[in-house]
């Protein structure tokens, strides 16, 4: 019997579930259960990679590495134990005469450069080859990943925030980004004795008033462009206008391009952010939920120009986003190469990641209308008709959110009924669900089905909530879900697994079956009396004094 049933987990949830399982026999049992059940390719690969990891740890065999026996990831780990150029050159030759994988060859060559640099010898700075030198066999070679408008020794200042609008109003995430940008640039200016600003960009029809409102939410300068043909988002003109604002000469600025850019991670914001950053010849970290600015030290020779040498990059925007693995956050950096500048450093921000500031009616700033003519070619695609969907369910305004996860699997309909009953026992509460409920194949009866729809999903790809009380019943705590509720004032988790990941970031953890615990909570709210044993997270689990 495997220690966990892989069919009860999505692939994203399976990673955290495997985190503490190191026994190869147990992992092989989980693998067999997956292969005999849903047999998902991604899940099989995840389990097999963990088996390989601990099989290798248990092996007493030693000897030279055979790159043909390693995946590229395994090869990268093995290279860290090789410190001589001769060993690495032998390995490189074996790879070239064997599978000849480009990615594996690059890993070995980078390790050779690193080892050579650590010997203390002097090395010349990397020399950039022209496309013709690099690709003599091509008739029309082009530079790799380089846009023709890349700047050299450009000047950069300020943080630009694209403020999305809807139905004549700034949407909430626009206000959240302005507040966060204000916080970041205030700290930046103090740390660097600078006076860089927050620049709001508003594009649409009749948006001058919204540009003025952006000042009250934290902008120093608000640029706007209005045209009745831009009432609805249109990616070509919006992209061209933002890029033109960012590059053009203007009286309020004396630099080439913005230092930083922020966009909302909405459908339109994701579209616009990718195209603007490409137009400005830089990169983008998408769907971020954390931002901070500080210096960082890098040793990658691609960034430093010299193998074995560290380089300090200052004023770097660190952009945190949930990792696809489900284990943790990744921090994305946009750093220049020795022969290539990457500015602005850009990110799109998940709605609800930051607190929206209070509007300051007394705050002053500069509102500027961008003057240009729309190119008719930008407007060649038009929307001839559209329907506005219902506003859907907004969980962000509730004092209490009751969220249900895969733990309802034994009786899905009853589990949802209990969640609804618990929410109804509060004055201002509603029901949310994890992604596992939305994507799972549960059979719900009609009277609860409305509570299981995607519009109620909480997490990275759903709503981000921060209620006074968040009750998570039967939710394991994958990082994608954590993003959606981590800012809640008080988090109470209910789970039968005492090692569930959600325990790590809950204020209170109740080890128990939600089908037994939720009725007691409902009764307690109705009667004012609670007879329930629960331990506060972090307490001594061996001592009943915390019960």
């Amino acid at each position: 019997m495997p220690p966990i049933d892989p069919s009860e987990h999505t692939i994203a949830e399976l990673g955290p579930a495997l985190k503490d399982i190191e026994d190869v026999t147990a992992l092989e049992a989980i693998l067999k259960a997956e292969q005999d059940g849903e047999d998902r390719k991604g899940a099989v690969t995840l389990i097999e990679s963990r088996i390989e990891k601990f099989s290798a740890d248990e092996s007493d065999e030693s000897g030279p590495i055979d790159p043909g026996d390693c995946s590229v990831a395994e090869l990268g780990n093995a290279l860290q134990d090789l410190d001589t150029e001769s060993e690495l050159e032998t390995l490189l030759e074996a790879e070239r005469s064997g599978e000849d994988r480009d990615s594996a060859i690059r890993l070995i060559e980078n390790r050779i450069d690193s080892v050579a640099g650590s010997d203390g010898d002097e090395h010349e700075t990397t020399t950039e080859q022209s496309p013709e030198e690099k690709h003599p066999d091509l008739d029309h070679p082009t530079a790799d990943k380089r846009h023709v408008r890349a700047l050299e020794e450009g000047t950069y200042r300020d943080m630009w925030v694209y403020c999305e609008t809807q139905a004549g109003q700034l949407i909430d995430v626009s206000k959240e980004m302005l507040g966060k940008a204000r916080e970041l640039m205030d700290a930046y200016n103090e740390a660097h004795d600078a006076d860089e600003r927050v620049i709001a960009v508003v594009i649409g029809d009749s948006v001058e008033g919204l540009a003025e409102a952006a000042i009250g939410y934290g902008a120093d300068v608000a640029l706007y462009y209005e045209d009745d043909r831009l009432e609805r988002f249109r990616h070509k003109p919006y992209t061209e206008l933002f890029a033109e604002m960012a590059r053009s000469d203007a009286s309020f600025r004396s630099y080439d391009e913005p230092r930083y850019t922020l966009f909302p991670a909405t459908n339109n914001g994701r579209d616009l952010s990718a195209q603007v950053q490409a137009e400005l010849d830089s990169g983008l970290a998408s769907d971020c939920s954390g931002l901070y600015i500080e210096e960082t030290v890098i040793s990658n020779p691609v960034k430093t120009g010299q193998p074995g040498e560290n380089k300090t990059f200052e004023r770097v925007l660190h952009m945190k986003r949930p990792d696809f693995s489900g284990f943790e956050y990744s921090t994305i950096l946009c750093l220049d190469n020795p022969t290539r500048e990457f500015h602005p450093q850009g990110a799109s921000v998940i709605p609800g990641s930051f607190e929206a500031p209070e509007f300051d009616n007394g705050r002053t700033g500069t509102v500027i209308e961008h003057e240009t003519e729309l190119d008719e070619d930008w407007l060649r695609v038009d929307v001839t008709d559209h329907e506005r969907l219902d506003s859907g369910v907004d969980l962000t305004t509730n004092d209490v959110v009751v969220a249900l996860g895969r733990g309802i699997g034994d009786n899905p309909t009853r589990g949802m009924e209990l969640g609804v009953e618990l929410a109804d026992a509060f004055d201002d509460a509603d029901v949310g669900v994890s992604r596992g409920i939305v994507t799972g194949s549960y059979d719900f009866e009609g009277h609860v089905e409305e509570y299981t729809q995607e519009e109620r999903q909480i997490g990275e790809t759903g709503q981000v909530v921060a209620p006074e009380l968040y009750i998570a019943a039967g939710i394991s705590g994958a990082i994608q879900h954590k993003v959606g509720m981590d800012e809640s004032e008080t988090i109470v988790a209910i789970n039968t697994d005492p090692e569930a990941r959600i325990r790590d970031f809950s204020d209170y953890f109740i080890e128990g079956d939600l089908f037994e615990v939720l009725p007691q909570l409902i009764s307690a709210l109705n009667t004012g009396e609670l007879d329930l044993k629960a331990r506060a997270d972090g307490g001594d689990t061996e001592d009943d004094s915390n019960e």
Side-chain angles (χ1 to χ4, degrees):
M1 185 73 179
I4 64 170
D5 183 352
S7 66
E8 294 181 353
H9 303 270
T10 65
I11 295 175
E13 293 169 341
L14 188 58
L18 294 172
K19 178 172 65 72
D20 298 321
I21 301 177
E22 300 180 1
D23 181 69
V24 173
T25 302
L27 290 166
E28 288 174 342
I30 297 170
L31 176 61
K32 186 176 187 305
E34 176 63 32
Q35 291 172 330
D36 292 344
E38 297 185 34
D39 197 22
R40 298 163 294 180
K41 183 177 179 181
V44 169
T45 300
L46 184 63
I47 302 168
E48 286 179 338
S49 66
R50 195 155 180 85
I51 291 173
E52 290 174 6
K53 169 179 169 58
F54 292 104
S55 295
D57 290 346
E58 294 173 4
S59 174
D60 294 326
E61 296 179 6
S62 61
I65 300 170
D66 182 355
D69 292 339
C70 303
S71 68
V72 174
E74 292 167 342
L75 181 61
N77 290 330
L79 289 175
Q80 303 309 308
D81 297 326
L82 299 183
D83 297 317
T84 64
E85 289 186 62
S86 59
E87 287 180 300
L88 291 164
E89 292 287 358
T90 300
L91 192 63
L92 180 60
E93 181 60 32
E95 176 64 32
R96 284 175 170 161
S97 60
E99 296 193 28
D100 196 25
R101 297 163 293 184
D102 289 342
S103 54
I105 289 172
R106 284 196 299 272
L107 277 175
I108 302 170
E109 288 178 337
N110 286 341
R111 182 61 180 167
I112 291 173
D113 288 341
S114 178
V115 168
S118 65
D119 292 338
D121 298 332
E122 292 186 1
H123 295 272
E124 294 183 1
T125 302
T126 303
T127 302
E128 184 74 9
Q129 289 181 302
S130 69
E132 290 76 15
E133 292 171 324
K134 197 169 186 179
H135 304 287
D137 54 323
L138 299 180
D139 294 332
H140 302 286
T142 58
D144 296 335
K145 299 182 180 178
R146 175 171 295 185
H147 195 277
V148 295
R149 277 196 290 265
L151 299 179
E152 294 183 5
E153 298 184 359
T155 55
Y156 310 98
R157 284 175 58 87
D158 298 342
M159 178 172 284
W160 287 45
V161 179
Y162 170 66
C163 297
E164 185 174 340
T165 68
Q166 190 174 87
Q169 300 293 327
L170 293 175
I171 64 173
D172 288 344
V173 67
S174 297
K175 303 171 187 177
E176 295 163 12
M177 290 190 301
L178 287 170
K180 185 62 177 180
R182 178 75 274 144
E183 173 191 321
L184 288 170
M185 295 313 291
D186 284 346
Y188 172 99
N189 288 332
E190 182 177 352
H192 298 282
D193 191 23
D195 60 351
E196 299 194 24
R197 301 161 297 178
V198 175
I199 311 293
V201 175
V202 188
I203 300 171
D205 178 30
S206 302
V207 293
E208 181 179 3
L210 300 183
E212 293 172 351
I215 301 295
Y217 287 110
D220 298 300
V221 177
L223 291 176
Y224 74 94
Y225 185 89
E226 55 186 11
D227 187 295
D228 57 9
R229 292 170 292 179
L230 301 180
E231 179 184 7
R232 292 176 54 80
F233 175 76
R234 302 171 74 162
H235 64 255
K236 180 63 174 177
Y238 274 58
T239 298
E240 295 291 349
L241 285 167
F242 190 109
E244 183 179 300
M245 290 177 182
R247 286 193 300 246
S248 64
D249 295 329
S251 59
F252 76 94
R253 50 178 281 182
S254 58
Y255 51 89
D256 293 310
E257 287 183 358
R259 188 185 298 279
Y260 313 110
T261 50
L262 300 182
F263 302 83
T266 58
N267 290 337
N268 292 340
R270 290 187 177 105
D271 184 340
L272 182 66
S273 59
Q275 294 191 85
V276 166
Q277 291 299 106
E279 186 70 19
L280 296 178
D281 199 44
S282 192
L284 175 74
S286 60
D287 294 353
C288 297
S289 59
L291 301 169
Y292 60 96
I293 300 170
E294 64 180 35
E295 69 177 32
T296 191
V297 179
I298 298 293
S299 60
N300 186 339
V302 173
K303 297 297 182 184
T304 65
Q306 291 185 327
E309 181 174 296
N310 291 338
K311 181 177 179 179
T312 299
F313 291 81
E314 297 183 343
R315 312 180 191 211
V316 178
L317 181 63
H318 290 61
M319 300 167 280
K320 294 180 63 177
R321 57 149 295 138
D323 196 326
F324 291 116
S325 70
F327 285 113
E328 57 189 21
Y329 285 91
S330 293
T331 300
I332 312 299
L333 309 179
C334 188
L335 304 175
D336 295 339
N337 286 347
T339 59
R340 173 75 167 80
E341 294 182 352
F342 291 97
H343 280 82
Q345 301 172 49
S348 64
V349 175
I350 298 172
S353 297
F354 308 119
E355 185 176 351
E358 294 291 330
F359 180 77
D360 183 354
N361 194 49
R363 199 169 185 283
T364 60
T366 305
V367 178
I368 302 172
E369 181 177 11
H370 181 69
E371 297 182 359
T372 191
E373 291 293 328
L374 290 182
D375 189 326
E376 288 298 327
D377 189 51
W378 300 349
L379 305 168
R380 61 185 182 275
V381 177
D382 198 3
V383 176
T384 59
D385 192 16
H386 70 279
E387 293 182 3
R388 183 179 297 277
L389 299 177
D390 293 338
S391 58
V393 177
D394 182 6
L395 301 175
T396 63
T397 61
N398 295 109
D399 292 337
V400 180
V401 173
V402 179
L404 287 304
R406 288 177 176 270
I408 66 171
D410 289 345
N411 191 339
T413 294
R414 180 55 183 157
M416 293 305 303
E417 287 175 342
L418 289 172
V420 173
E421 288 180 40
L422 180 57
D424 287 345
F426 290 97
D427 290 333
D428 181 20
D430 207 341
V431 175
V433 293
S434 71
R435 180 169 176 77
I437 299 298
V438 175
T439 60
S441 55
Y442 299 101
D443 186 14
F444 294 104
E445 294 182 18
H447 66 289
V448 298
E449 194 167 358
E450 66 175 287
Y451 296 99
T452 68
Q453 302 304 307
E454 187 174 7
E455 63 180 359
R456 290 182 178 270
Q457 180 180 322
I458 295 169
E460 179 188 7
T461 55
Q463 297 193 47
V464 177
V465 300
E468 294 179 13
L469 174 62
Y470 187 87
I471 301 174
I475 294 175
S476 62
I479 195 68
Q480 289 86 348
H481 186 81
K482 181 176 186 288
V483 170
M485 44 68 77
D486 198 30
E487 295 301 317
S488 302
E489 186 170 327
T490 301
I491 299 172
V492 176
I494 304 162
N495 205 295
T496 56
D497 180 7
E499 303 300 323
R501 189 177 179 86
I502 198 169
R503 181 170 188 159
D504 296 340
F505 50 92
S506 296
D507 298 290
Y508 299 93
F509 182 87
I510 302 173
E511 182 185 336
D513 189 329
L514 67 88
F515 291 98
E516 298 174 2
V517 175
L518 293 187
Q520 294 183 63
L521 293 179
I522 294 166
S523 175
L525 287 167
N526 291 332
T527 64
E529 298 180 359
L530 176 63
D531 181 17
L532 178 70
K533 290 186 177 182
R535 292 188 176 95
D537 188 31
D540 184 356
T541 57
E542 300 299 325
D543 185 351
D544 284 348
S545 63
N546 283 328
E547 291 186 348

